Amino acid sequence: MSATDSRSGRVLGIETSCDETAASVVVDGRHVLSSVVSSQIDLHARFGGVVPEIASRAHLDLLTPVVAEALLQAGMEGPEVAAVACTVGPGLIGSLLVGVAHAKALALVWGVPFVGVNHLEGHLYASFLEEPDLELPAVVLLVSGGHTMLVLMEAPGSYRLLGQTIDDAAGEAFDKVARYLGLGYPGGPAIDRTAMDGDPQAIAFPRGLKGDGFDFSFSGLKTSVVTYVRKHPDVATVDVAASFQEAVVDVLVTKARAAAHETGAKAICLAGGVAANSVLRERTLDVCIADGLHPYLPSRSMCTDNAAMIATAGWWRLQSDGPTPLDAGADPNLRLLFQS
Ligand code: KG4
Ligand code: ZN
């Protein structure tokens, strides 16, 4: 695709890897013309988590209107799109397949390139959308429902993995603890809200692997919340929520800060759904101010799953690798490629 082509920068992004059906049009990987997200939270809430079969069926129902709305809000007709980018993994296979089949069909009909995007790479690019002059290298703390990673972003498309969770993802810990405390689904926002009325120092929950490299561990913390509540049935739920959240944020921010020091990074970026957490945002900002680092805290809607980040990552991928062949499939376990 030529960068000088008048429609070349307009990428339609599609995201269906989990429980959000999303479509967006982004120009040149930077300017968002539209970003439509239809959440399935209400459909899954009574099950306490995402039910894969329900998710894929809902994507089937919702994707056509969501794409139509994204084009309408962008003031465009489908054939004016220069490429269709879609999440091809990681995620729930049924949900991914709905998006991938739809994206390939649109690309074929409109005669434009299809670009397969790694969902995690999409999260890494979310900061670029709101901070076009983002300074690199940056340490990105990618914290979502399925992943927890510290990544050094050296240039667009060039990343080094500094560390990752050896068991639960941070978002998974939020969701499991919220379910145990009866706070509902999704757990992260519920704990965030509940913790506002609690004392973060009330209970000294363990900080897994703190001071020990850049890997994370959250399963011990989850177990210790359960053990504590069993032993102290009268404890105030607000204090448990606040102390749990404090333990997670303490480890995340301490490691991101140490990673920035060790690598000489100029910035710390937050990415992924847990980056919407109010205490994590506050604490990251404090550390960046104290250490003279640039804080990049994407807006909450850009932290959680959306298709603008997929269109952006797709635009960059198109520049570096060209279109993805139409016979490439979805991969529920797709991994991000890191520099060694
Ligand atoms: O990135 P995301 O939308 O989907 C995945 O790719 O996983 O992240 C969803 C995760 C869930 O675990 C959710 O509980 C968590 O992000 N989350 C939060 C907050 N908002 C969403 N965790 C803590 N505090 C929040 N405010
Ligand atoms: Zn995500």
Side-chain angles (χ1 to χ4, degrees), residues 146 164-169 172 209 216-220:
Q164 61 187 327
T165 183
I166 58 168
D167 42 53
D168 289 353
E172 193 179 352
L209 300 183
F216 301 90
S217 168
F218 294 109
S219 71

Side-chain angles (χ1 to χ4, degrees), residues 29-328:
R30 283 169 201 271
H31 311 292
V32 182
L33 296 187
S34 64
S35 180
V36 179
V37 180
S38 173
S39 170
Q40 302 176 8
I41 282 177
D42 293 347
L43 291 178
H44 301 285
R46 69 192 173 102
F47 300 103
V50 178
V51 182
E53 183 61 22
I54 292 177
S56 32
R57 285 169 190 244
H59 287 307
L60 266 179
D61 288 343
L62 293 165
L63 192 50
T64 300
V66 164
V67 168
E69 181 64 24
L71 291 171
L72 191 74
Q73 286 184 16
M76 290 169 59
E77 303 278 342
E80 292 175 87
V81 160
V84 182
C86 179
T87 303
V88 293
L92 302 169
I93 186 63
S95 295
L96 288 167
L97 284 171
V98 174
V100 171
H102 198 100
K104 285 180 179 173
L106 292 178
L108 208 58
V109 169
W110 295 336
V112 297
F114 163 75
V115 198
V117 173
N118 183 310
H119 180 82
L120 300 176
E121 186 166 45
H123 276 302
L124 291 179
Y125 275 103
S127 290
F128 272 95
L129 279 165
E130 293 173 332
E131 301 279 356
D133 301 322
L134 192 144
E135 281 198 73
L136 298 176
V139 163
V140 186
L141 177 62
L142 171 50
V143 271
S144 71
H147 296 85
T148 296
M149 293 176 174
L150 262 180
V151 174
L152 183 68
M153 194 171 193
E154 291 165 319
S158 171
Y159 328 107
R160 205 144 59 77
L161 180 66
L162 302 173
Q164 61 187 327
T165 183
I166 58 168
D167 42 53
D168 289 353
E172 193 179 352
F174 269 97
D175 292 336
K176 286 178 176 169
V177 167
R179 193 178 317 158
Y180 178 70
L181 296 176
L183 297 177
Y185 163 86
I191 289 196
D192 201 345
R193 275 191 307 273
T194 308
M196 284 174 188
D197 299 321
D199 174 5
Q201 311 302 335
I203 308 153
F205 286 127
R207 272 67 167 155
L209 300 183
K210 191 179 172 188
D212 183 8
F214 296 132
D215 282 342
F216 301 90
S217 168
F218 294 109
S219 71
L221 170 59
K222 180 193 63 197
T223 310
S224 98
V225 170
V226 173
T227 310
Y228 188 92
V229 174
R230 277 196 191 136
K231 273 196 197 151
H232 307 85
D234 296 330
V235 67
T237 300
V238 289
D239 288 341
V240 179
S243 301
F244 160 77
Q245 178 173 266
E246 179 65 24
V248 175
V249 170
D250 183 19
V251 174
L252 292 176
V253 175
T254 303
K255 291 196 183 237
R257 183 181 204 176
H261 279 281
E262 190 169 310
T263 59
K266 296 178 175 154
I268 297 181
C269 290
L270 296 184
V274 181
N277 183 267
S278 44
V279 176
L280 177 60
R281 296 170 77 85
E282 232 174 75
R283 213 59 67 71
T284 304
L285 197 60
D286 292 347
V287 158
C288 285
I289 291 169
D291 294 1
L293 298 164
H294 291 277
Y296 292 117
L297 314 178
S299 60
R300 282 179 168 74
S301 60
M302 213 41 88
C303 293
T304 46
D305 288 350
N306 65 85
M309 68 185 198
I310 302 304
T312 300
W315 184 81
W316 285 97
R317 274 285 150 218
L318 206 50
Q319 315 302 309
S320 60
D321 303 353
T324 304
L326 286 178
D327 60 358

